[in-house]
Amino acid sequence: MTVVRLLACVCVAGAALPAPVVAEPAPRAAAWRGGTIVAVSENDEYAFRITVDQHYSNGMRLVWLSEPVAATPTDPLAWTHRVAGAIPGFAARPGTLRLGIALGHNIYTAGNTRRVVPDPGDRPYAGWLHGGVALVNDSADTTSGNGVIETLELTLGIVGPSAMGKQLQNFWHGLINYPQAMGWDSQLRDEPGIGLTYERAWRRPIAREADPDATGFGGLGLDVVPHAVAGLGNVATYAAAGAMLRIGTHLADDYGPPRTRPALSGIAAPAGADRIGGYLFAGFETRLVGRDIFLDGTMFRGGPRVDRRPLVSDTMAGLAMTWRDWRASFTYHWRGREFETQGPGDRFGAFSLGARF
């Protein structure tokens, strides 16, 4: 259970952002007036574990995603097209451009939160408060069901006591009469964080969704969504690749459920279909990690650290449901060992809720 189940109730979130350049589907409202709000809450308690918090204890992300931005001077967000066009290689395929703004908070603790002086071989305590701005280019072919989405996101924030990880976690634990995490006085020191992330995912149908009155593949669609991600910054530097297999309905609406990073962030905008849709999914990701501040420690101020493992694997499975302008999902996540003195890998769950307005 942890820090942000409090805000988890209000929701918090992360999601990906959609994309640029030439297509101009008529939005229901100006891009800056409408959009989608998505909340994501990740917590080790959601993995049905009967233990106190440990390692990646809690993550929250709240995202606003604009309606498609028109490339006309009358759209106040038209500058996003100029920015996208100035980035070499970005939005090379005509697509739908959106702007995303996000606010997030993560908490990391030792495996044994009862110790006042943590084991030096255990994961350091850390809080991470951050905000981000992103461009997303979604190039979808409605005829074939194929799609490509690319997201470029700039993240700024603070790691350390100023991120208020100790206060948030122990305040919430006090409200629910849950044991306090005792080792926060040894947390990573304050250090500004910056990161640039580029992500691309490809949607490839294997079996197209049949008409509701037809039979075919049980009336369901089946697709695969490979992805690749690269991140650069003092908080995280890594390269990752993986894929997700999905079976269900309304698969062409998105590229998977939204998550917090490091993980494929999905796309946050429900498509507004009148009937209920949904899909089951399972996937994996392998990351080559060059730097992780939550394991390597701060770059300029010293402090606790552990020996990071260069390769980390993630496996996930879950369910997403859509109805009109709403989407909800749950993901069960298995994460492999991240540092040499770690025992078994970690498990956590992720809830997301999004609404288009």
Side-chain angles (χ1 to χ4, degrees), residues 207-210 215-222 247-249 251 278:
R208 299 295 302 276
E209 179 181 348
T215 53
F217 189 68
L220 302 177
L222 178 69
I247 181 170
T249 61
L251 299 183

Side-chain angles (χ1 to χ4, degrees), residues 61 101-104 128-133 153-158:
R61 186 169 162 95
I101 298 174
L103 179 65
W128 167 225
L129 176 64
H130 51 95
V133 60
E153 182 171 6
L154 176 66
T155 302
L156 299 172
I158 185 75

Side-chain angles (χ1 to χ4, degrees), residues 4 11-16 38-43 46 56-63 102-108 128 130 153 155 197 199 227 229 238 256-267 285 287 294 314 316 329 331 333 335 348-352:
V4 150
C11 294
V12 270
V38 179
V40 178
S41 176
E42 298 183 343
N43 196 292
Y46 302 157
Y56 177 39
S57 183
N58 190 86
M60 311 181 292
R61 186 169 162 95
L62 184 65
V63 176
L103 179 65
H105 191 275
N106 292 19
I107 287 178
Y108 302 87
W128 167 225
H130 51 95
E153 182 171 6
T155 302
T197 307
E199 168 188 298
H227 69 269
V229 188
Y238 66 98
R259 291 280 319 288
T260 65
R261 300 189 189 279
L264 184 66
S265 57
I267 182 173
E285 180 177 279
R287 285 189 301 281
F294 308 112
D314 283 6
M316 71 288 296
S329 70
T331 306
H333 203 109
R335 177 160 292 168
F348 57 91
F351 287 99
S352 75

Side-chain angles (χ1 to χ4, degrees), residues 122-325:
D122 209 342
R123 179 192 266 277
Y125 282 76
W128 167 225
L129 176 64
H130 51 95
V133 60
L135 295 174
V136 182
N137 185 40
D138 185 5
S139 305
D141 184 336
T142 55
T143 302
S144 67
N146 290 333
V148 178
I149 187 169
E150 53 183 338
T151 302
L152 185 66
E153 182 171 6
L154 176 66
T155 302
L156 299 172
I158 185 75
V159 173
S162 294
M164 304 290 286
K166 173 184 177 179
Q167 291 85 343
L168 281 172
Q169 185 174 55
N170 285 337
F171 171 76
W172 175 244
H173 282 193
L175 286 179
I176 60 175
N177 196 28
Y178 201 74
Q180 300 280 291
M182 305 300 294
W184 274 105
D185 288 345
S186 301
Q187 68 177 299
L188 299 181
R189 299 181 181 181
D190 277 348
E191 181 166 295
I194 184 170
L196 186 65
T197 307
Y198 176 78
E199 168 188 298
R200 175 174 287 206
W202 299 261
R203 184 176 58 231
R204 294 294 180 262
I206 299 173
R208 299 295 302 276
E209 179 181 348
D211 182 274
D213 299 324
T215 53
F217 189 68
L220 302 177
L222 178 69
D223 71 5
V224 61
V225 184
H227 69 269
V229 188
L232 179 64
N234 68 315
V235 174
T237 296
Y238 66 98
M244 179 180 293
L245 185 68
R246 307 186 299 168
I247 181 170
T249 61
H250 298 184
L251 299 183
D253 290 356
D254 61 29
Y255 293 77
R259 291 280 319 288
T260 65
R261 300 189 189 279
L264 184 66
S265 57
I267 182 173
D274 287 334
R275 62 190 177 93
I276 294 175
Y279 54 84
L280 296 170
F281 61 89
F284 73 93
E285 180 177 279
T286 298
R287 285 189 301 281
L288 177 63
V289 184
R291 174 164 175 78
D292 183 337
I293 195 173
F294 308 112
L295 301 172
D296 295 316
T298 54
M299 187 173 288
F300 305 109
R301 305 196 63 184
R305 61 175 301 276
V306 290
D307 292 330
R308 169 179 44 79
R309 293 171 64 89
L311 282 175
V312 179
S313 62
D314 283 6
T315 306
M316 71 288 296
L319 168 70
M321 298 294 295
T322 60
W323 180 68
R324 294 188 176 176
D325 294 328

